[in-house]
Amino acid sequence: MAKYAASKFNRFGHVFVLLSVFIIFIADIAAGSQHNVSPNIPNDYKVQKNMEPLTYLSVRDSKIINQKGKEIKLRGVHYDCFYVLPKKINDAIKCFGEDPDEWNVQLSKYFFTDNDIAQLKNLGINVVRLEFRLWEIEKKPYSYSQTSLAHLDETIARLGQNGIYVIIDLHAAGQNNLNHNKEYGNKLWQDKDLQNRVVSLWGVVADRYRDNPCVAGYDIINEPQAPTKKALHSFYQECINEIRKNDKKHILFIEVNLGKNRKILFGGEYDDPNIVLSFHFYKPHKFTSQGKRGKPGGLKYPAQYGGIYWDKNQIDKFFAQVLGINKSRGRPFFVGEFSANLSAGGQYALEWTRNVIDVMNSKGIHYTYFCYKFPMSGSLGYYTPRKCVHRKFKVLMKKIMGKGIRFKDLLDEEKRLYLTENFESSRQLRQILENGFKGRLTE
């Protein structure tokens, strides 16, 4: 009887264990498989160690080369991992008597882990365009957060140790009317004090990184909307002068003026051999931005937009025209941002991305895909939050805004929302980027 009872118990135990495993499996699916990076991407990457140290990059004969004279094709992603908190949360935390910079540093340990670096390496990238906003470092005019600067040091070091260059991008400082610059508006061009603050900041940054070969260079201002050619040229020249007082080595990335006035372009010529010209590519805008902020979706590619039939041939023609502008300058070109809304564009957005990368590779253009990962939202990008996680982020932001909590009061599960395992990506997009970055993309 005892043997029968034990046998029956063992059979019941096996059934119970199997049932438990099944329940856990179903729960994992319902929760979005939080033990994996995403349903499409494995979580078994290893950070590469003992890599050959990076060397300074420079411009020679319209090419970017390293100190050994080897030509380097910069291919990678834009990443806003430096500062994960939006301005309104930053200000709320400050009002509650806590240091928002410390919050940012601590949350970044979840948002940007060794696993993220390893995934970037696995994609085949060699550069990250790393953005920061003026308010993230300048806490009052001409006074800078040492916490933020130290965090920038660490971020650059971690990428550099894994063979990834960093382009430091001043993303928002009053240079346009776009959403990412909403804290300032387009006042840089009329506000001389603000200009002086930006110039001064670049002096501080250049002095800090002049001896750091992991920095590929400085993207002076993101998507400027200067009113005149003279205004843009004057601003760029002041920044160049200040940077060169402190740093003679690093590349300067000069962006085209954003808007319809082709006469402005890059503001003119600059007497500095170590300059790369830069622009962003989101054409046709109606297609690439579909589904964002209430815009309609369901748009196709190739298709006609604005009286132009956009396909790979048209993309090739556009880039050929841009390169034609540069014939007399003889400088390399860098596309700092490009992407199409995958959630709304689906297979059409993937085809557009494949075509753009193929054209850029064929013309030797350097580029960074926009964007690796957004902290709370974002329809453009390699990683976007799962829907259930996006809702939790909103709840967390309301909690922080409403209760004035301290960082130590945050629950571990709330901090873990920032982990990449709570974001999702597309296997097909991953394959397109990986093939493109490694120069294997063909039609």
Side-chain angles (χ1 to χ4, degrees):
M1 178 65 73
K3 185 182 293 186
Y4 172 78
S7 176
K8 185 174 183 181
F9 176 80
N10 288 338
R11 288 199 299 272
F12 175 79
H14 287 307
V15 171
F16 178 80
V17 170
L18 289 173
L19 182 60
S20 298
V21 171
F22 180 75
I23 290 172
I24 292 171
F25 176 72
I26 294 298
D28 272 351
I29 293 176
S33 277
Q34 293 194 7
H35 297 294
N36 294 316
V37 173
S38 89
N40 299 318
I41 297 179
N43 192 18
D44 58 357
Y45 302 132
K46 302 295 182 183
V47 177
Q48 297 185 29
K49 301 294 184 181
N50 303 318
M51 300 192 63
E52 184 178 349
L54 297 176
T55 66
Y56 291 100
L57 300 181
S58 60
V59 174
R60 181 192 296 171
D61 299 328
S62 75
K63 298 177 180 179
I64 295 178
I65 62 170
N66 64 15
Q67 282 182 283
K68 296 180 179 179
K70 178 183 177 182
E71 182 178 5
I72 302 296
K73 297 292 187 184
L74 293 177
R75 293 169 177 166
V77 296
H78 176 98
Y79 198 12
D80 60 349
C81 64
F82 169 66
Y83 212 97
V84 300
L85 295 169
K87 184 69 161 58
K88 64 179 180 180
I89 303 298
N90 175 88
D91 293 344
I93 292 170
K94 191 187 302 182
C95 289
F96 301 145
E98 292 229 324
D99 183 358
D101 295 334
E102 287 293 346
W103 276 62
N104 166 66
V105 170
Q106 295 303 319
L107 289 176
S108 290
K109 293 178 181 178
Y110 295 85
F111 188 63
F112 185 53
T113 67
D114 282 350
N115 189 56
D116 287 293
I117 296 177
Q119 288 192 63
L120 290 173
K121 283 298 297 181
N122 188 269
L123 280 174
I125 79 166
N126 63 4
V127 66
V128 161
R129 180 175 181 253
L130 185 64
E131 72 172 62
F132 71 88
R133 292 163 168 77
L134 180 62
W135 62 266
E136 294 171 355
I137 292 182
E138 186 201 64
K139 298 308 173 180
K140 56 183 180 179
Y142 309 103
S143 178
Y144 312 107
S145 167
Q146 294 307 308
T147 301
S148 290
L149 286 170
H151 180 51
L152 184 57
D153 293 344
E154 182 182 7
T155 305
I156 292 170
R158 291 174 65 201
L159 288 164
Q161 289 163 5
N162 286 276
I164 301 173
Y165 284 102
V166 171
I167 296 171
I168 302 176
D169 158 43
L170 180 52
H171 209 69
Q175 76 279 16
N176 60 41
N177 284 314
L178 303 181
N179 188 60
H180 65 259
N181 188 50
K182 61 186 176 184
E183 290 84 13
Y184 296 100
N186 193 16
K187 63 180 183 179
L188 178 67
W189 317 107
Q190 293 78 33
D191 190 332
K192 188 59 181 175
D193 179 62
L194 180 57
Q195 284 188 31
N196 291 338
R197 286 160 52 194
V198 172
V199 171
S200 176
L201 175 62
W202 272 122
V204 170
V205 172
D207 183 60
R208 195 174 188 93
Y209 298 112
R210 62 184 175 185
D211 296 321
N212 191 329
C214 301
V215 174
Y218 311 122
D219 193 332
I220 293 178
I221 199 73
N222 179 69
E223 297 180 344
Q225 287 182 321
T228 65
K229 183 175 182 178
K230 181 179 179 180
L232 185 62
H233 187 274
S234 175
F235 169 74
Y236 274 149
Q237 192 62 65
E238 285 189 50
C239 290
I240 292 170
N241 292 343
E242 186 64 22
I243 290 170
R244 290 307 185 216
K245 286 179 186 177
N246 300 281
D247 183 347
K248 310 291 186 185
K249 302 174 184 175
H250 285 103
I251 295 172
L252 305 179
F253 292 81
I254 304 291
E255 293 197 28
V256 69
N257 197 66
L258 199 64
K260 299 180 179 179
N261 189 351
R262 286 184 170 270
K263 293 181 181 179
I264 296 179
L265 290 176
F266 301 95
E269 300 291 342
Y270 304 93
D271 186 19
D272 191 305
N274 217 16
I275 286 178
V276 170
L277 302 179
S278 177
F279 66 98
H280 300 168
F281 186 74
Y282 292 104
K283 293 180 179 292
H285 290 278
K286 187 174 182 180
F287 170 77
T288 59
S289 64
Q290 64 177 306
K292 292 181 62 181
R293 301 186 185 94
K295 294 180 180 179
L299 302 180
K300 298 182 178 181
Y301 168 88
Q304 183 164 306
Y305 296 96
I308 298 174
Y309 186 77
W310 282 94
D311 60 2
K312 186 179 179 183
N313 287 334
Q314 178 58 34
I315 291 172
D316 187 278
K317 185 184 299 184
F318 175 87
F319 277 97
Q321 291 173 346
V322 172
L323 291 174
I325 295 171
N326 188 42
K327 279 185 178 179
S328 62
R329 295 177 174 88
R331 301 191 189 276
F333 258 107
F334 169 65
V335 176
E337 296 181 19
F338 71 99
S339 61
N341 186 354
L342 188 61
S343 62
Q347 291 296 320
Y348 300 111
L350 291 170
E351 180 66 12
W352 180 92
T353 304
R354 183 184 293 107
N355 286 173
V356 172
I357 291 177
D358 214 28
V359 169
M360 290 191 295
N361 282 357
S362 71
K363 297 185 181 304
I365 293 173
H366 309 267
Y367 56 84
T368 47
Y369 176 80
F370 191 88
C371 169
Y372 175 66
K373 176 182 170 186
F374 281 103
M376 293 196 305
S377 62
S379 49
L380 297 175
Y382 183 69
Y383 272 120
T384 55
R386 303 180 193 280
K387 290 182 179 179
C388 62
V389 174
H390 192 198
R391 291 193 295 269
K392 290 177 181 179
F393 265 126
K394 288 184 176 180
V395 171
L396 175 59
M397 293 303 108
K398 288 180 180 179
K399 175 181 175 180
I400 296 173
M401 291 286 288
K403 293 186 177 181
I405 62 174
R406 295 168 296 180
F407 186 83
K408 67 179 184 179
D409 296 326
L410 286 182
L411 302 175
D412 186 61
E413 64 190 56
E414 292 172 328
K415 299 173 188 176
R416 291 180 64 83
L417 288 175
Y418 287 90
L419 290 172
T420 301
E421 66 187 27
N422 289 309
F423 293 66
E424 59 188 354
S425 187
S426 159
R427 180 187 294 274
Q428 291 170 290
L429 177 61
R430 175 195 171 197
Q431 197 64 57
I432 290 170
L433 293 178
E434 183 177 335
N435 288 340
F437 294 152
K438 294 177 180 178
R440 300 197 303 253
L441 190 62
T442 56
E443 286 298 303

